[in-house]
Amino acid sequence: MASAPDPAAAQAAAGTLAEVRYLMTSGLWTPERAAACDADHDRRHAIDIAAESGHSIAWGHVPPGGKSWGQVRGMALRKVGHLWREIRTVAHAMNEHTKLTGEQIAAMTGLTNLPVPGAVA
């Protein structure tokens, strides 16, 4: 069984997918915005970061013991679908306030704000 994708790679893929979905469902999708959502740089960066933490992710094929970027995007797409209500809630709040704390996001979504290991409180 292949390993789970690197969390940073899954997060990068989910961010791009959520951006596209938000623009499309809000009627804001244009060819110019489609080009801006390409996220080639994000994909390359996520693959590099994953490699640094021992995860093997490749573009266009499945590496031995790893995942393809398509597989990572597929898993991220399912997670975005599952959390879409919460994502929209936070996106709308950010449009109003531009900066939110983890506690504020947890309160408005009902999700748990887990501490980040190694973060200074």
Side-chain angles (χ1 to χ4, degrees):
M1 179 171 93
S3 64
D6 177 76
Q11 185 177 18
T16 301
L17 293 164
E19 178 183 20
V20 169
R21 183 170 174 174
Y22 182 80
L23 291 170
M24 292 182 90
T25 60
S26 299
L28 300 171
W29 189 254
T30 65
E32 295 79 20
R33 288 188 176 125
C37 290
D38 176 36
D40 181 55
H41 170 76
D42 291 344
R43 179 186 68 236
R44 285 182 283 137
H45 182 69
I47 289 171
D48 290 345
I49 295 297
E52 289 175 13
S53 63
H55 292 88
S56 183
I57 300 172
W59 173 244
H61 70 282
V62 179
K67 300 274 185 213
S68 72
W69 185 250
Q71 289 172 308
V72 172
R73 281 180 45 95
M75 288 181 267
L77 185 59
R78 284 188 295 280
K79 188 59 101 172
V80 166
H82 176 73
L83 294 172
W84 186 243
R85 183 191 66 79
E86 292 84 355
I87 291 168
R88 269 183 66 86
T89 298
V90 172
H92 287 293
M94 288 181 76
N95 280 338
E96 297 294 320
H97 304 287
T98 66
K99 187 175 181 179
L100 300 169
T101 68
E103 288 303 318
Q104 289 170 317
I105 291 170
M108 72 178 72
T109 62
L111 298 173
T112 303
N113 181 26
L114 297 174
V116 177
V120 177

mmCIF file of all heavy atoms in Angstrom, residues 55-100:
data_model
loop_
_atom_site.group_PDB
_atom_site.id
_atom_site.type_symbol
_atom_site.label_atom_id
_atom_site.label_comp_id
_atom_site.label_asym_id
_atom_site.label_seq_id
_atom_site.Cartn_x
_atom_site.Cartn_y
_atom_site.Cartn_z
ATOM 1 N N HIS A 55 8.504 12.094 1.257
ATOM 2 C CA HIS A 55 7.349 11.644 0.487
ATOM 3 C C HIS A 55 7.664 11.782 -0.998
ATOM 4 O O HIS A 55 8.205 12.785 -1.437
ATOM 5 C CB HIS A 55 6.116 12.488 0.821
ATOM 6 C CG HIS A 55 5.620 12.288 2.199
ATOM 7 N ND1 HIS A 55 6.079 13.015 3.275
ATOM 8 C CD2 HIS A 55 4.703 11.425 2.705
ATOM 9 C CE1 HIS A 55 5.475 12.624 4.374
ATOM 10 N NE2 HIS A 55 4.631 11.657 4.060
ATOM 11 N N SER A 56 7.298 10.771 -1.748
ATOM 12 C CA SER A 56 7.558 10.774 -3.182
ATOM 13 C C SER A 56 6.271 11.076 -3.939
ATOM 14 O O SER A 56 5.316 10.299 -3.913
ATOM 15 C CB SER A 56 8.113 9.407 -3.601
ATOM 16 O OG SER A 56 8.435 9.425 -4.967
ATOM 17 N N ILE A 57 6.249 12.248 -4.582
ATOM 18 C CA ILE A 57 5.110 12.664 -5.402
ATOM 19 C C ILE A 57 5.670 13.067 -6.759
ATOM 20 O O ILE A 57 6.675 13.771 -6.835
ATOM 21 C CB ILE A 57 4.355 13.853 -4.771
ATOM 22 C CG1 ILE A 57 3.830 13.470 -3.376
ATOM 23 C CG2 ILE A 57 3.207 14.310 -5.672
ATOM 24 C CD1 ILE A 57 3.240 14.634 -2.606
ATOM 25 N N ALA A 58 5.025 12.623 -7.810
ATOM 26 C CA ALA A 58 5.510 12.931 -9.156
ATOM 27 C C ALA A 58 4.389 13.490 -10.016
ATOM 28 O O ALA A 58 3.210 13.226 -9.779
ATOM 29 C CB ALA A 58 6.087 11.678 -9.805
ATOM 30 N N TRP A 59 4.768 14.264 -11.000
ATOM 31 C CA TRP A 59 3.840 14.842 -11.961
ATOM 32 C C TRP A 59 3.796 13.926 -13.176
ATOM 33 O O TRP A 59 4.813 13.652 -13.793
ATOM 34 C CB TRP A 59 4.316 16.235 -12.357
ATOM 35 C CG TRP A 59 3.545 16.874 -13.462
ATOM 36 C CD1 TRP A 59 4.037 17.209 -14.692
ATOM 37 C CD2 TRP A 59 2.181 17.266 -13.458
ATOM 38 N NE1 TRP A 59 3.056 17.784 -15.444
ATOM 39 C CE2 TRP A 59 1.900 17.832 -14.710
ATOM 40 C CE3 TRP A 59 1.161 17.182 -12.521
ATOM 41 C CZ2 TRP A 59 0.647 18.314 -15.041
ATOM 42 C CZ3 TRP A 59 -0.085 17.664 -12.863
ATOM 43 C CH2 TRP A 59 -0.329 18.226 -14.092
ATOM 44 N N GLY A 60 2.624 13.378 -13.490
ATOM 45 C CA GLY A 60 2.450 12.589 -14.698
ATOM 46 C C GLY A 60 2.634 11.093 -14.549
ATOM 47 O O GLY A 60 2.384 10.356 -15.495
ATOM 48 N N HIS A 61 3.097 10.632 -13.414
ATOM 49 C CA HIS A 61 3.234 9.192 -13.186
ATOM 50 C C HIS A 61 3.243 8.926 -11.682
ATOM 51 O O HIS A 61 3.366 9.840 -10.884
ATOM 52 C CB HIS A 61 4.503 8.642 -13.838
ATOM 53 C CG HIS A 61 5.765 9.094 -13.172
ATOM 54 N ND1 HIS A 61 6.304 10.351 -13.376
ATOM 55 C CD2 HIS A 61 6.588 8.467 -12.297
ATOM 56 C CE1 HIS A 61 7.399 10.481 -12.652
ATOM 57 N NE2 HIS A 61 7.602 9.349 -11.993
ATOM 58 N N VAL A 62 3.083 7.644 -11.329
ATOM 59 C CA VAL A 62 3.117 7.234 -9.926
ATOM 60 C C VAL A 62 4.514 6.687 -9.639
ATOM 61 O O VAL A 62 4.899 5.658 -10.186
ATOM 62 C CB VAL A 62 2.050 6.161 -9.613
ATOM 63 C CG1 VAL A 62 2.123 5.748 -8.157
ATOM 64 C CG2 VAL A 62 0.662 6.650 -9.976
ATOM 65 N N PRO A 63 5.269 7.359 -8.777
ATOM 66 C CA PRO A 63 6.606 6.848 -8.459
ATOM 67 C C PRO A 63 6.504 5.646 -7.514
ATOM 68 O O PRO A 63 5.524 5.510 -6.784
ATOM 69 C CB PRO A 63 7.278 8.036 -7.754
ATOM 70 C CG PRO A 63 6.145 8.782 -7.143
ATOM 71 C CD PRO A 63 4.974 8.603 -8.075
ATOM 72 N N PRO A 64 7.486 4.777 -7.522
ATOM 73 C CA PRO A 64 7.460 3.624 -6.611
ATOM 74 C C PRO A 64 7.304 4.076 -5.154
ATOM 75 O O PRO A 64 8.042 4.934 -4.680
ATOM 76 C CB PRO A 64 8.824 2.954 -6.837
ATOM 77 C CG PRO A 64 9.243 3.402 -8.199
ATOM 78 C CD PRO A 64 8.687 4.797 -8.359
ATOM 79 N N GLY A 65 6.292 3.542 -4.476
ATOM 80 C CA GLY A 65 6.060 3.866 -3.074
ATOM 81 C C GLY A 65 5.499 5.253 -2.830
ATOM 82 O O GLY A 65 5.419 5.694 -1.695
ATOM 83 N N GLY A 66 5.094 5.942 -3.876
ATOM 84 C CA GLY A 66 4.598 7.300 -3.717
ATOM 85 C C GLY A 66 3.248 7.521 -4.367
ATOM 86 O O GLY A 66 2.478 6.585 -4.572
ATOM 87 N N LYS A 67 2.965 8.771 -4.676
ATOM 88 C CA LYS A 67 1.694 9.172 -5.284
ATOM 89 C C LYS A 67 1.979 10.059 -6.481
ATOM 90 O O LYS A 67 2.987 10.763 -6.536
ATOM 91 C CB LYS A 67 0.848 9.988 -4.295
ATOM 92 C CG LYS A 67 0.489 9.277 -3.016
ATOM 93 C CD LYS A 67 -0.751 8.466 -3.197
ATOM 94 C CE LYS A 67 -1.168 7.854 -1.869
ATOM 95 N NZ LYS A 67 -1.773 6.581 -2.021
ATOM 96 N N SER A 68 1.061 10.048 -7.416
ATOM 97 C CA SER A 68 1.134 11.019 -8.508
ATOM 98 C C SER A 68 0.433 12.293 -8.046
ATOM 99 O O SER A 68 -0.378 12.260 -7.109
ATOM 100 C CB SER A 68 0.443 10.474 -9.763
ATOM 101 O OG SER A 68 -0.965 10.468 -9.575
ATOM 102 N N TRP A 69 0.744 13.408 -8.686
ATOM 103 C CA TRP A 69 0.065 14.657 -8.345
ATOM 104 C C TRP A 69 -1.440 14.506 -8.581
ATOM 105 O O TRP A 69 -2.250 15.033 -7.825
ATOM 106 C CB TRP A 69 0.631 15.823 -9.141
ATOM 107 C CG TRP A 69 0.030 17.117 -8.732
ATOM 108 C CD1 TRP A 69 -0.827 17.887 -9.465
ATOM 109 C CD2 TRP A 69 0.198 17.801 -7.483
ATOM 110 N NE1 TRP A 69 -1.192 19.009 -8.751
ATOM 111 C CE2 TRP A 69 -0.570 18.974 -7.535
ATOM 112 C CE3 TRP A 69 0.926 17.527 -6.331
ATOM 113 C CZ2 TRP A 69 -0.638 19.868 -6.476
ATOM 114 C CZ3 TRP A 69 0.871 18.420 -5.284
ATOM 115 C CH2 TRP A 69 0.093 19.579 -5.361
ATOM 116 N N GLY A 70 -1.833 13.740 -9.587
ATOM 117 C CA GLY A 70 -3.252 13.485 -9.837
ATOM 118 C C GLY A 70 -3.922 12.778 -8.668
ATOM 119 O O GLY A 70 -5.053 13.093 -8.305
ATOM 120 N N GLN A 71 -3.228 11.815 -8.055
ATOM 121 C CA GLN A 71 -3.773 11.132 -6.885
ATOM 122 C C GLN A 71 -3.904 12.093 -5.707
ATOM 123 O O GLN A 71 -4.914 12.077 -4.995
ATOM 124 C CB GLN A 71 -2.883 9.953 -6.492
ATOM 125 C CG GLN A 71 -2.939 8.790 -7.451
ATOM 126 C CD GLN A 71 -1.906 7.741 -7.109
ATOM 127 O OE1 GLN A 71 -0.723 8.043 -6.956
ATOM 128 N NE2 GLN A 71 -2.364 6.488 -6.994
ATOM 129 N N VAL A 72 -2.903 12.938 -5.506
ATOM 130 C CA VAL A 72 -2.955 13.922 -4.418
ATOM 131 C C VAL A 72 -4.129 14.868 -4.650
ATOM 132 O O VAL A 72 -4.906 15.161 -3.735
ATOM 133 C CB VAL A 72 -1.625 14.700 -4.310
ATOM 134 C CG1 VAL A 72 -1.731 15.847 -3.323
ATOM 135 C CG2 VAL A 72 -0.489 13.753 -3.922
ATOM 136 N N ARG A 73 -4.307 15.341 -5.892
ATOM 137 C CA ARG A 73 -5.422 16.234 -6.215
ATOM 138 C C ARG A 73 -6.760 15.536 -6.002
ATOM 139 O O ARG A 73 -7.711 16.147 -5.527
ATOM 140 C CB ARG A 73 -5.324 16.727 -7.655
ATOM 141 C CG ARG A 73 -4.329 17.841 -7.842
ATOM 142 C CD ARG A 73 -4.258 18.301 -9.289
ATOM 143 N NE ARG A 73 -5.541 18.473 -9.929
ATOM 144 C CZ ARG A 73 -6.196 19.629 -10.018
ATOM 145 N NH1 ARG A 73 -5.683 20.715 -9.522
ATOM 146 N NH2 ARG A 73 -7.362 19.686 -10.632
ATOM 147 N N GLY A 74 -6.857 14.259 -6.346
ATOM 148 C CA GLY A 74 -8.100 13.517 -6.145
ATOM 149 C C GLY A 74 -8.476 13.432 -4.674
ATOM 150 O O GLY A 74 -9.638 13.645 -4.300
ATOM 151 N N MET A 75 -7.486 13.152 -3.822
ATOM 152 C CA MET A 75 -7.748 13.096 -2.384
ATOM 153 C C MET A 75 -8.127 14.483 -1.864
ATOM 154 O O MET A 75 -9.041 14.622 -1.042
ATOM 155 C CB MET A 75 -6.525 12.559 -1.645
ATOM 156 C CG MET A 75 -6.302 11.071 -1.876
ATOM 157 S SD MET A 75 -4.867 10.457 -0.971
ATOM 158 C CE MET A 75 -3.616 10.626 -2.227
ATOM 159 N N ALA A 76 -7.441 15.509 -2.359
ATOM 160 C CA ALA A 76 -7.740 16.879 -1.929
ATOM 161 C C ALA A 76 -9.138 17.297 -2.388
ATOM 162 O O ALA A 76 -9.867 17.956 -1.644
ATOM 163 C CB ALA A 76 -6.685 17.837 -2.477
ATOM 164 N N LEU A 77 -9.529 16.890 -3.594
ATOM 165 C CA LEU A 77 -10.854 17.235 -4.109
ATOM 166 C C LEU A 77 -11.957 16.641 -3.238
ATOM 167 O O LEU A 77 -12.954 17.316 -2.930
ATOM 168 C CB LEU A 77 -11.000 16.759 -5.557
ATOM 169 C CG LEU A 77 -12.283 17.134 -6.274
ATOM 170 C CD1 LEU A 77 -12.459 18.649 -6.331
ATOM 171 C CD2 LEU A 77 -12.286 16.554 -7.674
ATOM 172 N N ARG A 78 -11.773 15.412 -2.790
ATOM 173 C CA ARG A 78 -12.755 14.796 -1.900
ATOM 174 C C ARG A 78 -12.832 15.559 -0.574
ATOM 175 O O ARG A 78 -13.918 15.794 -0.036
ATOM 176 C CB ARG A 78 -12.422 13.324 -1.662
ATOM 177 C CG ARG A 78 -12.769 12.436 -2.847
ATOM 178 C CD ARG A 78 -12.617 10.959 -2.549
ATOM 179 N NE ARG A 78 -11.250 10.557 -2.277
ATOM 180 C CZ ARG A 78 -10.315 10.328 -3.201
ATOM 181 N NH1 ARG A 78 -10.616 10.472 -4.477
ATOM 182 N NH2 ARG A 78 -9.106 9.949 -2.857
ATOM 183 N N LYS A 79 -11.688 15.960 -0.036
ATOM 184 C CA LYS A 79 -11.668 16.685 1.238
ATOM 185 C C LYS A 79 -12.302 18.069 1.071
ATOM 186 O O LYS A 79 -13.061 18.508 1.941
ATOM 187 C CB LYS A 79 -10.233 16.811 1.742
ATOM 188 C CG LYS A 79 -10.135 17.375 3.126
ATOM 189 C CD LYS A 79 -10.892 16.539 4.148
ATOM 190 C CE LYS A 79 -9.979 15.670 4.934
ATOM 191 N NZ LYS A 79 -10.647 14.984 6.047
ATOM 192 N N VAL A 80 -12.023 18.738 -0.042
ATOM 193 C CA VAL A 80 -12.648 20.046 -0.301
ATOM 194 C C VAL A 80 -14.157 19.887 -0.382
ATOM 195 O O VAL A 80 -14.916 20.684 0.188
ATOM 196 C CB VAL A 80 -12.079 20.696 -1.584
ATOM 197 C CG1 VAL A 80 -12.932 21.865 -2.057
ATOM 198 C CG2 VAL A 80 -10.647 21.163 -1.355
ATOM 199 N N GLY A 81 -14.634 18.853 -1.065
ATOM 200 C CA GLY A 81 -16.076 18.603 -1.145
ATOM 201 C C GLY A 81 -16.689 18.369 0.224
ATOM 202 O O GLY A 81 -17.755 18.893 0.542
ATOM 203 N N HIS A 82 -15.985 17.613 1.037
ATOM 204 C CA HIS A 82 -16.471 17.297 2.390
ATOM 205 C C HIS A 82 -16.528 18.548 3.276
ATOM 206 O O HIS A 82 -17.433 18.693 4.093
ATOM 207 C CB HIS A 82 -15.559 16.231 3.013
ATOM 208 C CG HIS A 82 -15.883 15.885 4.414
ATOM 209 N ND1 HIS A 82 -16.987 15.138 4.767
ATOM 210 C CD2 HIS A 82 -15.266 16.194 5.576
ATOM 211 C CE1 HIS A 82 -17.028 15.004 6.077
ATOM 212 N NE2 HIS A 82 -15.987 15.633 6.596
ATOM 213 N N LEU A 83 -15.577 19.446 3.099
ATOM 214 C CA LEU A 83 -15.484 20.641 3.953
ATOM 215 C C LEU A 83 -15.959 21.925 3.255
ATOM 216 O O LEU A 83 -15.676 23.020 3.736
ATOM 217 C CB LEU A 83 -14.032 20.829 4.420
ATOM 218 C CG LEU A 83 -13.495 19.764 5.350
ATOM 219 C CD1 LEU A 83 -11.999 19.948 5.572
ATOM 220 C CD2 LEU A 83 -14.237 19.789 6.680
ATOM 221 N N TRP A 84 -16.677 21.785 2.134
ATOM 222 C CA TRP A 84 -17.038 22.957 1.353
ATOM 223 C C TRP A 84 -17.808 24.014 2.165
ATOM 224 O O TRP A 84 -17.551 25.208 2.049
ATOM 225 C CB TRP A 84 -17.816 22.576 0.098
ATOM 226 C CG TRP A 84 -18.037 23.783 -0.754
ATOM 227 C CD1 TRP A 84 -19.223 24.350 -1.091
ATOM 228 C CD2 TRP A 84 -17.035 24.602 -1.356
ATOM 229 N NE1 TRP A 84 -19.027 25.470 -1.863
ATOM 230 C CE2 TRP A 84 -17.683 25.644 -2.040
ATOM 231 C CE3 TRP A 84 -15.639 24.568 -1.375
ATOM 232 C CZ2 TRP A 84 -16.999 26.634 -2.738
ATOM 233 C CZ3 TRP A 84 -14.961 25.547 -2.065
ATOM 234 C CH2 TRP A 84 -15.629 26.562 -2.737
ATOM 235 N N ARG A 85 -18.759 23.604 2.990
ATOM 236 C CA ARG A 85 -19.517 24.581 3.785
ATOM 237 C C ARG A 85 -18.578 25.406 4.656
ATOM 238 O O ARG A 85 -18.674 26.629 4.722
ATOM 239 C CB ARG A 85 -20.564 23.880 4.658
ATOM 240 C CG ARG A 85 -21.444 24.868 5.455
ATOM 241 C CD ARG A 85 -22.299 24.175 6.520
ATOM 242 N NE ARG A 85 -21.518 23.574 7.574
ATOM 243 C CZ ARG A 85 -20.966 24.244 8.598
ATOM 244 N NH1 ARG A 85 -21.106 25.539 8.699
ATOM 245 N NH2 ARG A 85 -20.273 23.614 9.513
ATOM 246 N N GLU A 86 -17.639 24.743 5.306
ATOM 247 C CA GLU A 86 -16.695 25.435 6.179
ATOM 248 C C GLU A 86 -15.754 26.338 5.373
ATOM 249 O O GLU A 86 -15.445 27.458 5.792
ATOM 250 C CB GLU A 86 -15.896 24.426 7.002
ATOM 251 C CG GLU A 86 -16.720 23.682 8.035
ATOM 252 C CD GLU A 86 -17.472 22.463 7.500
ATOM 253 O OE1 GLU A 86 -17.458 22.203 6.263
ATOM 254 O OE2 GLU A 86 -18.104 21.769 8.311
ATOM 255 N N ILE A 87 -15.317 25.867 4.221
ATOM 256 C CA ILE A 87 -14.427 26.669 3.372
ATOM 257 C C ILE A 87 -15.132 27.947 2.930
ATOM 258 O O ILE A 87 -14.566 29.038 2.993
ATOM 259 C CB ILE A 87 -13.950 25.843 2.153
ATOM 260 C CG1 ILE A 87 -13.005 24.723 2.623
ATOM 261 C CG2 ILE A 87 -13.270 26.736 1.113
ATOM 262 C CD1 ILE A 87 -12.708 23.677 1.571
ATOM 263 N N ARG A 88 -16.384 27.824 2.478
ATOM 264 C CA ARG A 88 -17.143 29.011 2.062
ATOM 265 C C ARG A 88 -17.365 29.972 3.222
ATOM 266 O O ARG A 88 -17.248 31.184 3.066
ATOM 267 C CB ARG A 88 -18.507 28.615 1.479
ATOM 268 C CG ARG A 88 -18.492 28.399 0.000
ATOM 269 C CD ARG A 88 -19.891 28.093 -0.525
ATOM 270 N NE ARG A 88 -20.826 29.191 -0.401
ATOM 271 C CZ ARG A 88 -20.976 30.165 -1.284
ATOM 272 N NH1 ARG A 88 -20.215 30.191 -2.348
ATOM 273 N NH2 ARG A 88 -21.884 31.091 -1.123
ATOM 274 N N THR A 89 -17.667 29.433 4.384
ATOM 275 C CA THR A 89 -17.883 30.270 5.563
ATOM 276 C C THR A 89 -16.644 31.101 5.859
ATOM 277 O O THR A 89 -16.722 32.315 6.076
ATOM 278 C CB THR A 89 -18.251 29.393 6.784
ATOM 279 O OG1 THR A 89 -19.478 28.709 6.500
ATOM 280 C CG2 THR A 89 -18.394 30.211 8.051
ATOM 281 N N VAL A 90 -15.485 30.451 5.857
ATOM 282 C CA VAL A 90 -14.234 31.158 6.145
ATOM 283 C C VAL A 90 -13.889 32.134 5.022
ATOM 284 O O VAL A 90 -13.458 33.262 5.284
ATOM 285 C CB VAL A 90 -13.090 30.155 6.399
ATOM 286 C CG1 VAL A 90 -11.744 30.865 6.518
ATOM 287 C CG2 VAL A 90 -13.377 29.337 7.656
ATOM 288 N N ALA A 91 -14.099 31.743 3.771
ATOM 289 C CA ALA A 91 -13.805 32.646 2.645
ATOM 290 C C ALA A 91 -14.640 33.918 2.746
ATOM 291 O O ALA A 91 -14.119 35.028 2.557
ATOM 292 C CB ALA A 91 -14.062 31.934 1.318
ATOM 293 N N HIS A 92 -15.916 33.787 3.050
ATOM 294 C CA HIS A 92 -16.770 34.970 3.181
ATOM 295 C C HIS A 92 -16.331 35.837 4.373
ATOM 296 O O HIS A 92 -16.303 37.069 4.269
ATOM 297 C CB HIS A 92 -18.243 34.570 3.319
ATOM 298 C CG HIS A 92 -18.831 34.070 2.047
ATOM 299 N ND1 HIS A 92 -19.019 34.867 0.939
ATOM 300 C CD2 HIS A 92 -19.266 32.841 1.693
ATOM 301 C CE1 HIS A 92 -19.542 34.153 -0.040
ATOM 302 N NE2 HIS A 92 -19.703 32.914 0.389
ATOM 303 N N ALA A 93 -15.974 35.200 5.478
ATOM 304 C CA ALA A 93 -15.509 35.959 6.642
ATOM 305 C C ALA A 93 -14.201 36.685 6.332
ATOM 306 O O ALA A 93 -14.005 37.836 6.753
ATOM 307 C CB ALA A 93 -15.331 35.030 7.839
ATOM 308 N N MET A 94 -13.323 36.056 5.573
ATOM 309 C CA MET A 94 -12.061 36.697 5.212
ATOM 310 C C MET A 94 -12.281 37.883 4.273
ATOM 311 O O MET A 94 -11.535 38.852 4.321
ATOM 312 C CB MET A 94 -11.098 35.689 4.595
ATOM 313 C CG MET A 94 -10.541 34.727 5.626
ATOM 314 S SD MET A 94 -9.394 33.544 4.932
ATOM 315 C CE MET A 94 -7.966 34.600 4.738
ATOM 316 N N ASN A 95 -13.304 37.796 3.436
ATOM 317 C CA ASN A 95 -13.635 38.938 2.579
ATOM 318 C C ASN A 95 -14.037 40.140 3.421
ATOM 319 O O ASN A 95 -13.795 41.280 3.055
ATOM 320 C CB ASN A 95 -14.767 38.589 1.606
ATOM 321 C CG ASN A 95 -14.276 37.806 0.421
ATOM 322 O OD1 ASN A 95 -13.110 37.839 0.073
ATOM 323 N ND2 ASN A 95 -15.187 37.078 -0.196
ATOM 324 N N GLU A 96 -14.643 39.883 4.561
ATOM 325 C CA GLU A 96 -15.095 40.961 5.446
ATOM 326 C C GLU A 96 -14.000 41.444 6.392
ATOM 327 O O GLU A 96 -13.933 42.626 6.696
ATOM 328 C CB GLU A 96 -16.301 40.475 6.278
ATOM 329 C CG GLU A 96 -17.517 40.124 5.443
ATOM 330 C CD GLU A 96 -18.113 41.334 4.747
ATOM 331 O OE1 GLU A 96 -18.166 42.407 5.364
ATOM 332 O OE2 GLU A 96 -18.506 41.189 3.570
ATOM 333 N N HIS A 97 -13.171 40.537 6.891
ATOM 334 C CA HIS A 97 -12.239 40.882 7.963
ATOM 335 C C HIS A 97 -10.765 40.774 7.580
ATOM 336 O O HIS A 97 -9.914 41.235 8.332
ATOM 337 C CB HIS A 97 -12.494 40.003 9.191
ATOM 338 C CG HIS A 97 -13.910 40.078 9.672
ATOM 339 N ND1 HIS A 97 -14.415 41.171 10.325
ATOM 340 C CD2 HIS A 97 -14.932 39.205 9.558
ATOM 341 C CE1 HIS A 97 -15.690 40.969 10.609
ATOM 342 N NE2 HIS A 97 -16.031 39.779 10.145
ATOM 343 N N THR A 98 -10.431 40.143 6.492
ATOM 344 C CA THR A 98 -9.081 39.895 5.968
ATOM 345 C C THR A 98 -8.157 39.102 6.899
ATOM 346 O O THR A 98 -7.251 38.459 6.426
ATOM 347 C CB THR A 98 -8.354 41.192 5.530
ATOM 348 O OG1 THR A 98 -8.084 42.020 6.646
ATOM 349 C CG2 THR A 98 -9.138 41.926 4.470
ATOM 350 N N LYS A 99 -8.353 39.161 8.198
ATOM 351 C CA LYS A 99 -7.505 38.405 9.122
ATOM 352 C C LYS A 99 -8.387 37.742 10.181
ATOM 353 O O LYS A 99 -9.196 38.404 10.816
ATOM 354 C CB LYS A 99 -6.497 39.342 9.789
ATOM 355 C CG LYS A 99 -5.489 38.610 10.635
ATOM 356 C CD LYS A 99 -4.434 39.570 11.164
ATOM 357 C CE LYS A 99 -3.419 38.813 11.985
ATOM 358 N NZ LYS A 99 -2.371 39.700 12.500
ATOM 359 N N LEU A 100 -8.208 36.437 10.328
ATOM 360 C CA LEU A 100 -8.962 35.667 11.312
ATOM 361 C C LEU A 100 -8.005 34.796 12.104
ATOM 362 O O LEU A 100 -7.003 34.327 11.574
ATOM 363 C CB LEU A 100 -9.983 34.759 10.622
ATOM 364 C CG LEU A 100 -11.046 35.422 9.754
ATOM 365 C CD1 LEU A 100 -11.791 34.374 8.942
ATOM 366 C CD2 LEU A 100 -12.006 36.210 10.616
#
